[in-house]
Amino acid sequence: MNPEGIANAVVSVLAAAGTLAGVTSRTRRRRNEIKENLALAEELQKNTILRDHTPAVAWLHGKIALDVAKLSGQPIGAPKKPIPKGSVIFATVLLLGFGGWTYWLNRDGFVWYSLVTGALATSMLISILGMTTNREIPPEGEMPEGAHPLGSGSDSQNVVASVAMAAMSSDGRYEDDGQLGVAFRFVRHMTAGEFDEALSLADENWLRCRIQAWLWNARAVVGDDETQLQETADAMMTSREQHDLWEAFSSAEVDAFHNAWGDIDPEQLGGASRRRRVGPDYELVVVVPLGESGGYFVNSPTPVPGGMTFLMHKLNGKWLLANHLGIAPPLPGFPPTWWVVGDPSIEELPD
């Protein structure tokens, strides 16, 4: 018997057994980690701060989903640009050619002009590395500084994103009749010029203050007597479309909102996940244009370009828009108070 052959056979068997044991132990460790993370997720659900004010629970559920995918053999990985095979083959041929030429020039000792062919061979090698490495596709769309993408198109991030969205929408705020859903619909109707549909999503106090603001700004035409202005506002609230001034008022409102929001794509809006309760039956919602980013999360206070804060009012079991500018219900009057800094109607009032 050949001792060397026996030794090689033993080494091969041990290596195969070690590999199998490694795979088995890795699978076992992943199973145990999934069980532990499931138990931890249940504990996190009991912590109201982490559950309601951070995406920690969604992150952990996303990790569990990814681990299960790996355990079951599902392919997981970031999307990558395809390797340009033709270019790689061409660069490889040039690499071998210039590399062989450089070797032939230096076969009897170094010659300085071999640096030219050596540099060309090196450039081909760098080109091949550039075409075969770091091919991950970055997420599309710009995000504010300090924000992190919720999903960038990769399988793993899409899993986390779907879990996070499910967790955030579980309280009903993203439903059509929820706080954010109503805000989304209001923006959609206003940008489309659908004034009557938008009014159905706003409370009576908001409409009264919009009418008062329009009459105040048009007082040079309709008169500046506040008693008469109030009577006109009451009549418009009662008669709506039958009032002589309603068409002029609704047209002016559509133009004003279109000028302010005309560049917003209603189909690419997102909402802040944290609840912001400011009073009994009053909540603030933050609506953000997402562009092509698909959504993002932040771990600290972050300025959000284009973000809009709406005050929502729950009335008779329905969520309605209470204020599209300030963080409190507008105060009726001539002019009405919208609780925003820089309101020209308020700035022009005497001290």
Side-chain angles (χ1 to χ4, degrees):
M1 297 180 64
N2 186 354
E4 184 177 355
I6 295 175
N8 290 335
V10 171
V11 170
S12 299
V13 171
L14 291 177
T19 301
L20 179 60
V23 171
T24 305
S25 62
R26 185 165 58 248
T27 301
R28 186 182 298 111
R29 285 198 303 271
R30 182 163 287 143
R31 288 180 182 275
N32 292 334
E33 186 176 359
I34 291 172
K35 293 178 181 178
E36 293 172 358
N37 285 337
L38 284 172
L40 178 58
E42 293 182 2
E43 293 298 320
L44 289 177
Q45 287 284 8
K46 301 175 184 178
N47 188 307
T48 56
I49 295 177
L50 291 175
R51 183 190 63 204
D52 298 335
H53 302 290
T54 74
V57 177
W59 287 338
L60 187 57
H61 280 114
K63 183 180 183 339
I64 293 171
L66 291 177
D67 286 340
V68 172
K70 293 175 183 177
L71 189 66
S72 59
Q74 295 296 319
I76 295 293
K80 296 181 179 180
K81 300 176 184 177
I83 295 176
K85 297 180 180 179
S87 298
V88 171
I89 293 174
F90 181 70
T92 301
V93 171
L94 292 179
L95 170 62
L96 295 175
F98 286 121
W101 193 359
T102 302
Y103 174 79
W104 184 82
L105 290 174
N106 291 291
R107 66 190 185 282
D108 296 324
F110 174 75
V111 292
W112 67 267
Y113 45 84
S114 67
L115 293 175
V116 177
T117 56
L120 291 173
T122 303
S123 66
M124 291 301 104
L125 177 61
I126 295 174
S127 176
I128 293 171
L129 291 175
M131 290 185 286
T132 56
T133 60
N134 296 327
R135 295 180 293 111
E136 289 78 8
I137 300 176
E140 297 181 357
E142 296 183 359
M143 292 179 295
E145 184 177 356
H148 306 277
L150 190 61
S152 65
S154 69
D155 294 337
S156 57
Q157 289 185 336
N158 284 339
V159 169
V160 176
S162 63
V163 173
M165 290 303 299
M168 289 188 294
S169 60
S170 60
D171 58 3
R173 292 186 304 122
Y174 288 81
E175 300 294 332
D176 282 349
D177 294 328
Q179 299 93 307
L180 279 162
V182 171
F184 293 155
R185 290 163 57 202
F186 181 85
V187 174
R188 186 179 301 114
H189 288 314
M190 275 300 191
T191 54
E194 300 167 348
F195 187 63
D196 292 339
E197 289 81 355
L199 283 188
S200 67
L201 302 175
D203 67 12
E204 294 286 311
N205 183 64
W206 181 87
L207 175 58
R208 182 179 299 278
C209 290
R210 293 307 299 169
I211 292 174
Q212 291 176 335
W214 179 75
L215 291 173
W216 178 258
N217 293 330
R219 62 190 183 279
V221 177
V222 300
D224 57 2
D225 181 76
E226 292 193 15
T227 301
Q228 184 60 42
L229 289 176
Q230 186 59 57
E231 291 177 357
T232 303
D234 292 341
M236 292 178 67
M237 285 289 297
T238 302
S239 303
R240 302 286 178 98
E241 293 84 355
Q242 282 70 42
H243 197 279
D244 294 339
L245 295 177
W246 185 264
E247 184 176 354
F249 162 68
S250 60
S251 297
E253 288 291 278
V254 168
D255 291 342
F257 278 94
H258 188 268
N259 290 335
W261 295 348
D263 295 333
I264 296 175
D265 185 350
E267 303 306 321
Q268 293 183 341
L269 291 177
S273 60
R274 184 168 67 86
R275 291 189 68 178
R276 294 167 171 83
R277 303 181 69 180
V278 296
D281 296 324
Y282 282 95
E283 291 191 19
L284 288 177
V285 298
V286 180
V287 175
V288 182
L290 298 178
E292 301 293 337
S293 68
Y296 49 83
F297 62 87
V298 297
N299 293 324
S300 59
T302 302
V304 180
M308 301 180 292
T309 301
F310 295 147
L311 179 68
M312 310 303 294
H313 179 203
K314 191 174 185 179
L315 186 65
N316 298 326
K318 293 177 57 179
W319 284 103
L320 301 170
L321 179 82
N323 195 341
H324 67 290
L325 295 171
I327 62 173
L331 185 64
F334 289 96
T337 301
W338 293 96
W339 307 113
V340 292
V341 177
D343 185 341
S345 297
I346 301 299
E347 294 285 348
E348 294 171 358
L349 292 177
D351 292 335

